[in-house]
Amino acid sequence: MKAVSKYGVSENGYYGSFGGAYIPEILYNNIEELKSKYLGISQSEKFNNEFSELLKNYVGRPTPLFFAKNLSEQYKTNIYLKREDLNHTGAHKINNAIGQILLAKELGKKRIIAETGAGQHGVATATVCALMGMECIVYMGETDVQRQAPNVARMKMLGAKVVSVHSGSKTLKDASNEAIRDWINNPENTYYLIGSVVGPHPYPDMVARFQSVISNEIKGQLKTILGKENPDYVIACVGGGSNAAGAFYHFLESEDVKLIGVEAAGKGIDSGHTAATLSVGSAGIIHGSKTILMQTADGQITEPYSISAGLDYPGIGPVHAYLNEVRRANYISITDTEALEAALNLTKKEGIIPALESAHALAALGKLQFKKEEIVISNLSGRGDKDLETYTNYLNELKYAKQN
Amino acid sequence: MNRLDSLFQKKKNNILSIFITAGFPKLNDTASIVKQLQASGADFIELGIPFSDPLADGPVIQDSSTVALANGMTLKLLLQQLREIRKEVNIPILLMGYINPVLQYGIEKFAKDASEAGADGIIIPDLPMQQYLEEYKSTFDQYNLKNIFLVTPQTTEERIRYIDTNSNSFIYLVSSSSTTGKKTGIDGAEDYLSRIQKMNLKSATVVGFNISNRDSFQKACKYANGAIIGSAFVKAVSNSNDVAQSTKTFVDSILN
Ligand SMILES: Cc1ncc(COP(=O)(O)O)c(C=O)c1O
């Protein structure tokens, strides 16, 4: 977990002009404690031993880097899938949850709260809480409770209390608001286990470090397979941006590696139903961090939309706002339908059912021009079990459309 | 002189402040409410700038914010209304709101317009002290806009001293570690409040959060120069057909 300097966070928590910690005074001590201890704890030998051991034998890391032959033929290049879907609990979210639960334990916290969109972070948090014997409360928007029902059932079976949130658009933003309110009401005994590279400093940096295992492994695996560490492209979907931050992390300073973040366009960036923050947003403050967000001219945060619960967020991690600004990474967006088609395509071509979030990164393959000899990594952030109902409905719609 | 400074110079005890979200319950109710608050004997007013995502607020103030936004309230309209209100109201008026709407309005433009409209200060719960000192203070000072800091049961003595040193008006003592309107009453806060009272701060102090009636108001005033009522008042006018009358009834129940 080496610090990245040029694109890393500054001492007071900024990436360029983005980041910081805009939090109410009640949380001052909590944030100060985290700020002063997260590096020391996470860089200690004890922590690293436990973290590595759990990633290996509990999560099942390293995850494979799979050469997708059929997809490569389709796009006339060399496509490798980083199989984060094969992690225990089915997505990259568990990497961060393990890191933060060890930190929470070290800080002596007993009660864990989390927000979740797709439910993958909620499941990961409920899982590590079961493992460590900690109380777990997960906030989830009512819309997401409905569209990600299998994950709600898993969280409950794991012993978490799932609180359905009814405010706003009843999705990830609103779940985050409610989790922060819980923290304000319970600052002493509670640890807030944030699921992406969002929120006040030091969360974005901390989560990126815990997810950086993804790019660290890719480097080693490419070295073994190809004899060189760097690919030509790394592509990842971006909700808050944690799987992308982890997949980019160790390539940030290798400027010849093209980094592509993929946001959810929803029904299209000009449709008024989108979650493509960098396309339609502007600078402001959301959930304690200065970043790009979707808002009205009057500074009210607007409701995002995406078919994918994990990308349905009106903000983006400050690190991505910065990488976009300085053009170190490029961000594109993919519509609901393009993502659904990409999910069906991967399933048919490679026998892998991806999460709807990851399907956005796969759809991006069709939007870019690759050379035949180039090496392209697509981060397959999660598996699609939770999205089966959405996929089935889409397949039925297609069948119906064909018949008529 | 800033109206807050004059108030705290003149009056040392039982200062009553009432919070109301601008544009709630109806878009044009704010003027009637504020005028009646002055007539009934409130000492100063906190006018809430509605925000889509009020993180430090409980359900009552959240809902009032949602209604006010649906009614069409904006920061610009709020300042227009305030300008009109100032023709008749001369007690101090503070704005209370989250940082993002202020940022979008523009810090300098906000300070200028708010001050010209007749605001005396502002409370921004998600603007930390450090950011304020580095990026906002000189502008706010230029327009004689006081920035009010919060202290909570979690705040260390050292930090309270630091806040006191940097404060140029009263300090807002949050009665419990909670969002607004979480509990009714301030039982359990006595030790914390008396600890702060014994620190003999240079700044005046006003207790807020969970003050809901005459009893909790009086209790809070034992430890501070005054107290602020928010959620309980918002609730009291929320279904009212005659907001002036409801305001009068509410303030009378606290003071008489
Ligand atoms: C499988 C999967 N991928 C991606 C995301 C988006 O999160 P992030 O952008 O932080 O990686 C989620 C969030 O729930 C997810 O479940």
Side-chain angles (χ1 to χ4, degrees), chain A residues 47 81 92 99 110 124 142 174 222 238 261 290 333 369 371:
Chain A
F47 181 99
L81 302 176
H92 67 293
K110 298 272 182 291
E142 193 187 5
D174 313 289
L222 280 182
V238 178
K290 187 180 273 183
S333 65
Q369 301 295 325
K371 295 196 188 106

Side-chain angles (χ1 to χ4, degrees), chain A residues 110-394:
Chain A
K110 298 272 182 291
R111 183 175 175 272
I112 306 295
I113 58 171
E115 82 297 335
T116 197
Q120 286 303 130
H121 175 59
V123 167
T125 306
T127 298
V128 296
C129 285
L131 180 68
M132 300 290 170
M134 298 217 212
E135 182 186 356
C136 179
I137 297 118
V138 179
Y139 290 91
M140 188 169 189
E142 193 187 5
T143 306
D144 296 337
V145 167
Q146 283 161 13
R147 62 178 162 172
Q148 307 277 233
N151 276 344
V152 177
R154 291 165 82 198
M155 285 185 267
K156 287 185 176 161
M157 183 164 171
L158 287 159
K161 181 175 160 201
V162 180
V163 181
S164 176
V165 176
H166 305 280
S167 55
S169 60
K170 306 175 176 62
T171 58
L172 184 54
K173 169 189 74 126
D174 313 289
S176 307
N177 288 345
E178 226 35 63
I180 294 173
R181 289 190 186 110
D182 180 312
W183 207 21
I184 287 173
N185 282 291
N186 302 282
E188 271 180 280
N189 64 345
T190 298
Y191 182 88
Y192 181 17
L193 208 158
I194 295 186
S196 192
V197 287
V198 300
H201 176 66
Y203 280 102
D205 182 51
M206 176 164 68
V207 176
R209 283 167 186 266
F210 291 145
Q211 292 293 1
S212 71
V213 63
I214 300 173
S215 49
N216 198 34
E217 285 178 6
I218 294 173
K219 266 180 172 299
Q221 289 165 325
L222 280 182
K223 178 100 189 164
T224 308
I225 303 168
L226 302 170
K228 61 167 194 172
E229 289 188 332
N230 289 349
D232 296 289
Y233 286 87
V234 179
I235 307 172
C237 68
V238 178
S242 68
N243 86 87
F248 293 173
Y249 200 89
H250 291 284
F251 299 115
L252 284 169
E253 306 222 330
S254 305
E255 309 267 351
D256 52 333
V257 180
K258 299 177 196 69
L259 307 175
I260 313 286
V262 186
E263 292 195 289
K267 295 180 178 165
I269 53 172
D270 299 320
S271 67
H273 302 276
T274 184
T277 306
L278 290 177
S279 298
V280 300
S282 55
I285 289 169
I286 182 171
H287 297 139
S289 172
K290 187 180 273 183
T291 185
I292 303 292
L293 61 128
M294 292 166 50
Q295 57 185 327
T296 65
D298 207 31
Q300 308 297 341
I301 300 174
T302 51
E303 306 299 348
Y305 164 81
S306 164
I307 194 171
S308 147
L311 306 183
D312 199 353
Y313 184 67
I316 187 168
V319 64
H320 294 291
Y322 178 65
L323 294 176
N324 178 57
E325 185 183 75
V326 300
R327 295 282 171 243
R328 174 62 192 98
N330 283 317
Y331 295 82
I332 62 175
S333 65
I334 289 296
T335 65
D336 288 355
T337 310
E338 289 167 337
L340 285 164
E341 285 298 327
L344 299 189
N345 184 57
L346 185 76
T347 305
K348 203 166 72 192
K349 288 240 157 66
E350 303 286 354
I352 299 170
I353 303 177
L356 259 171
E357 291 76 18
S358 324
H360 285 72
L362 294 164
L365 293 169
K367 302 266 170 178
L368 300 163
Q369 301 295 325
F370 305 113
K371 295 196 188 106
K372 203 162 166 288
E373 68 282 4
E374 282 180 324
I375 306 297
V376 178
I377 309 282
S378 180
N379 196 39
L380 192 60
S381 58
R383 66 184 183 221
D385 309 31
K386 68 186 179 60
D387 300 310
L388 271 189
E389 192 180 319
T390 309
Y391 291 150
T392 308
N393 289 345
Y394 182 65

Side-chain angles (χ1 to χ4, degrees), chain A residues 57-68:
Chain A
N57 293 318
Y58 188 68
V59 175
R61 302 202 72 94
T63 58
L65 187 67
F66 173 67
F67 177 64

Side-chain angles (χ1 to χ4, degrees), chain B:
Chain B
M1 190 194 233
N2 185 289
R3 295 180 194 85
L4 279 168
D5 289 345
S6 334
L7 170 65
F8 285 96
Q9 249 174 42
K10 260 194 340 252
K11 192 165 174 180
K12 305 287 179 197
N13 299 305
N14 297 317
I15 291 172
L16 172 65
S17 171
I18 301 278
F19 168 91
I20 183 68
T21 305
F24 179 83
K26 301 262 162 48
L27 186 61
N28 296 316
D29 280 344
T30 310
S32 335
I33 291 173
V34 171
K35 285 175 203 168
Q36 186 60 48
L37 284 171
Q38 169 169 278
S40 295
D43 294 298
F44 74 94
I45 287 160
E46 276 180 50
L47 201 50
I49 306 168
F51 181 48
S52 55
D53 297 81
L55 286 180
D57 286 301
V60 172
I61 294 180
Q62 278 176 49
D63 290 348
S64 72
S65 231
T66 307
V67 170
L69 290 173
N71 288 344
M73 183 46 76
T74 62
L75 182 47
K76 190 164 163 226
L77 180 57
L78 184 161
L79 295 177
Q80 275 169 20
Q81 291 189 353
L82 179 56
R83 207 179 269 270
E84 288 303 307
I85 290 169
R86 266 294 174 226
K87 292 177 181 161
E88 293 176 51
V89 174
N90 46 38
I91 60 176
I93 298 179
L94 282 170
L95 301 180
M96 170 146 188
Y98 293 81
I99 185 69
N100 198 52
V102 172
L103 210 55
Q104 300 315 316
Y105 195 93
I107 300 171
E108 165 107 34
K109 184 169 185 297
F110 167 78
K112 179 169 183 287
D113 291 358
S115 173
E116 281 174 9
D120 302 291
I122 179 151
I123 306 177
I124 308 176
D126 56 346
L127 177 63
M129 180 106 185
Q130 200 58 36
Q131 261 76 25
Y132 161 75
L133 293 175
E134 286 166 15
E135 298 167 35
Y136 294 75
K137 183 178 174 357
S138 62
T139 311
F140 285 9
D141 285 353
Q142 185 189 335
Y143 293 100
N144 199 15
L145 210 55
K146 306 284 185 183
N147 188 69
I148 309 301
F149 297 110
L150 276 60
V151 154
T152 82
Q154 249 62 45
T155 316
T156 60
E157 175 158 348
E158 185 191 355
R159 187 159 168 86
I160 295 173
R161 293 277 175 216
Y162 178 66
I163 289 172
D164 189 35
T165 307
N166 283 291
S167 171
N168 57 10
S169 186
F170 73 92
I171 292 178
Y172 191 133
L173 307 180
V174 176
S175 72
S176 73
S177 299
S178 70
T179 41
T180 53
K182 185 75 180 174
K183 303 194 291 186
T184 42
I186 58 163
D187 290 350
E190 293 88 349
D191 286 355
Y192 149 68
L193 293 175
S194 84
R195 170 165 64 85
I196 292 182
Q197 191 175 32
K198 288 190 193 116
M199 287 178 70
N200 275 317
L201 302 178
K202 78 166 172 58
S203 314
T205 54
V206 180
V207 182
F209 283 40
N210 308 319
I211 316 275
S212 54
N213 54 24
R214 184 180 167 83
D215 177 55
S216 44
F217 174 69
Q218 288 182 340
K219 245 185 221 157
C221 288
K222 280 195 229 155
Y223 302 97
N225 303 95
I228 300 169
I229 301 179
S231 299
F233 178 71
V234 170
K235 219 186 277 178
V237 295
S238 63
N239 292 315
S240 170
N241 296 321
D242 182 347
V243 288
Q245 184 55 46
S246 304
T247 300
K248 182 174 183 335
T249 309
F250 186 87
V251 178
D252 286 350
S253 78
I254 305 295
L255 293 180
N256 301 311

